Amino acid sequence: MIYIEKSAKVETNVQGLEQNFKIAMNSKTFRLLSDTLYSDKIKAIIRELSCNAYDSHVEANNLKETFEVKLPTFIDQEFSIRDYGVGLSEEKLTSLYLTYGESTKDDPNNEISNQLVGCFGIGSKSPFAYVDMFNVGSYYNGELKVYTVFLDNGIPKCLKIHTSKTLEKNGLRISFAVQEKDIEQFKQKAIEVFEWFQIKPKINIELNYSKKEFYIDNKDYSFSIGNGQRGFYAIQGNILYPIDSSFVSRKDITSGAIYLKFDIGEFSFAPSREALSYDEKTIKNIQDKLDNVEKDILDTIYEDISSSKTKIEFHIKYKTLYHGTSFNINYMQTKGLYNFNNKQLKHYDIMFNSFLNDISNYKIFLYNEKEKIYRSVRVTRNIKQNKGMYLLSKKYNIVYNDLH
């Protein structure tokens, strides 16, 4: 990702020496950049090394092949990530990989820079947040060179420990030992990280990703309702970032979870990649997209509810979607949602009147045209059962026409 640098022009009428700030090369500085930087250390390591592996595949134009992740088990406690990307020569590894803040991913002259997730030049050192030593194996043009990267009195150092010929493809393999007490944590954090990767890595053990059911899911955003889901998030470069509502606000859809999808470079994030950086560009881009998405959700809800064929279907859809989204009633009023079969309805009446009580325990017949199957359900005032009724209506047609 291309990193935009800021500069200011200063004028003075006083002659003096202009001085640059410096960074002290000591253990405190290195610890700040690779340990205390991360609040969730295990998740950070998996995320940072995986983003680097993904970027290497992008640079090598090798997205058909995914990188490999070896999670620790009680039999083998090693964690490793092996990519099949561009690889690094010894010169690049020592000058680039081992230098804090050095990165080729923010080169404005590189046409693929804004396809790459990284830019800060610190993620490759993230294993120091957990261990004092890890190994880097570099497969490059028929040679394998293995380096041990370690802390010596808090100062990172690198020592080449092995070299040999190899037939393996170019790429890097990062590995280190995991404490037995953290094995399950690595598995859980891997689920949290890879859940949002469009192309999942090849992993040595099976991960049970949470099953998200989206009411709307397209290239610009995903929206889910029910099960107490709330909040809104930004997704960029396979990474999920929570959005702080004190900077960006929802207006028309105040319940349900909204996941906004951005191209790389559309917003800024903290060096730890654990949060957004709320600069002017980031706030504007997120708010603009959120406003457009909320309108699209409202229009989709309107089309869904207004497509109801029966009064019972209308009421059940309305109640279910309102409870799941808390949509803007005034917007729906303007759209004319409350005119059903030329009869004016009101939000209050739909939500609280005796309609569902009047038809409570009526048996409603549902018919699936494709499967030639009838189902019957009883309408109740229980909102969970009403939601189930709504979901059934997505598959079956309500054919009890006396309730029109």
Side-chain angles (χ1 to χ4, degrees), residues 5 14 35-36 58 88 90 199 270 319 328 355 374 383 393:
E5 296 182 343
V14 178
D35 183 359
T36 58
V58 173
L88 289 176
E90 185 166 63
I199 302 175
K319 291 193 72 169
N328 186 325
F355 174 74
Y374 279 98
I383 191 63
S393 71

Side-chain angles (χ1 to χ4, degrees), residues 183-366:
I183 289 175
E184 284 301 316
Q185 273 285 301
F186 269 81
K187 180 179 177 181
Q188 182 56 45
K189 297 303 178 182
I191 292 173
E192 293 177 19
V193 171
F194 297 132
E195 185 172 22
W196 301 100
F197 271 62
Q198 291 184 328
I199 302 175
K200 303 284 192 291
K202 188 183 295 183
I203 305 175
N204 61 313
I205 62 176
E206 184 178 351
L207 298 182
N208 296 317
Y209 299 105
S210 61
K211 294 181 180 179
K212 289 183 169 55
E213 294 184 1
F214 294 114
Y215 176 65
I216 303 172
D217 188 20
N218 57 43
K219 66 181 181 63
D220 295 316
Y221 72 96
S222 299
F223 177 55
S224 60
I225 61 176
N227 301 320
Q229 297 183 85
R230 304 183 73 87
F232 48 123
Y233 307 85
I235 301 173
Q236 178 181 267
N238 296 317
I239 306 300
L240 179 76
Y241 300 88
I243 298 174
D244 189 335
S245 60
S246 65
F247 292 97
V248 183
S249 60
R250 292 169 63 164
K251 303 165 186 173
D252 296 318
I253 303 291
T254 55
S255 293
I258 300 176
Y259 302 87
L260 304 174
K261 301 172 185 178
F262 291 87
D263 292 330
I264 291 175
E266 286 193 87
F267 62 71
S268 304
F269 50 85
S272 66
R273 223 188 299 266
E274 292 179 334
L276 295 174
S277 178
Y278 292 94
D279 55 29
E280 186 175 341
K281 169 190 169 184
T282 296
I283 294 173
K284 182 181 186 307
N285 285 352
I286 293 178
Q287 187 67 68
D288 287 349
K289 173 159 269 193
L290 181 61
D291 291 344
N292 291 331
V293 163
E294 283 194 300
K295 184 180 183 302
D296 190 70
I297 293 173
L298 286 171
D299 289 340
T300 302
I301 291 172
Y302 169 79
E303 294 295 335
D304 192 357
I305 298 175
S306 61
S307 67
S308 301
K309 300 295 189 298
T310 64
K311 193 174 182 182
I312 177 65
E313 186 180 4
F314 183 95
H315 277 249
I316 289 174
K317 280 186 176 183
Y318 188 97
K319 291 193 72 169
T320 301
L321 290 171
Y322 183 77
H323 276 285
T325 67
S326 299
F327 56 71
N328 186 325
I329 299 170
N330 292 330
Y331 182 86
M332 293 303 183
Q333 182 71 49
T334 303
K335 293 272 287 186
L337 178 65
Y338 302 99
N339 295 311
F340 183 77
N341 283 357
N342 298 318
K343 183 178 180 181
Q344 186 72 29
L345 303 175
K346 295 181 180 179
H347 172 80
Y348 180 86
D349 293 332
I350 299 172
M351 298 300 293
F352 304 108
N353 77 355
S354 61
F355 174 74
L356 285 176
N357 191 43
D358 292 340
I359 63 169
S360 192
N361 293 320
Y362 271 55
K363 186 174 284 189
I364 308 301
F365 290 95
L366 305 168

Side-chain angles (χ1 to χ4, degrees), residues 88-96 138 140 145 147 160:
L88 289 176
S89 65
E90 185 166 63
E91 179 185 3
K92 275 198 171 181
L93 190 138
T94 54
S95 65
L96 187 71
S138 178
Y140 188 75
K145 295 181 181 180
Y147 305 82
K160 183 163 67 174

Side-chain angles (χ1 to χ4, degrees), residues 364-368 371-376 396-397 399:
I364 308 301
F365 290 95
L366 305 168
Y367 179 64
N368 184 296
E371 300 176 12
K372 307 297 182 187
I373 294 175
Y374 279 98
R375 282 192 67 171
S376 63
Y396 296 91
N397 294 321
V399 296

Side-chain angles (χ1 to χ4, degrees), residues 119 123 195 216 382 403:
C119 68
E195 185 172 22
I216 303 172
N382 185 303
L403 295 176

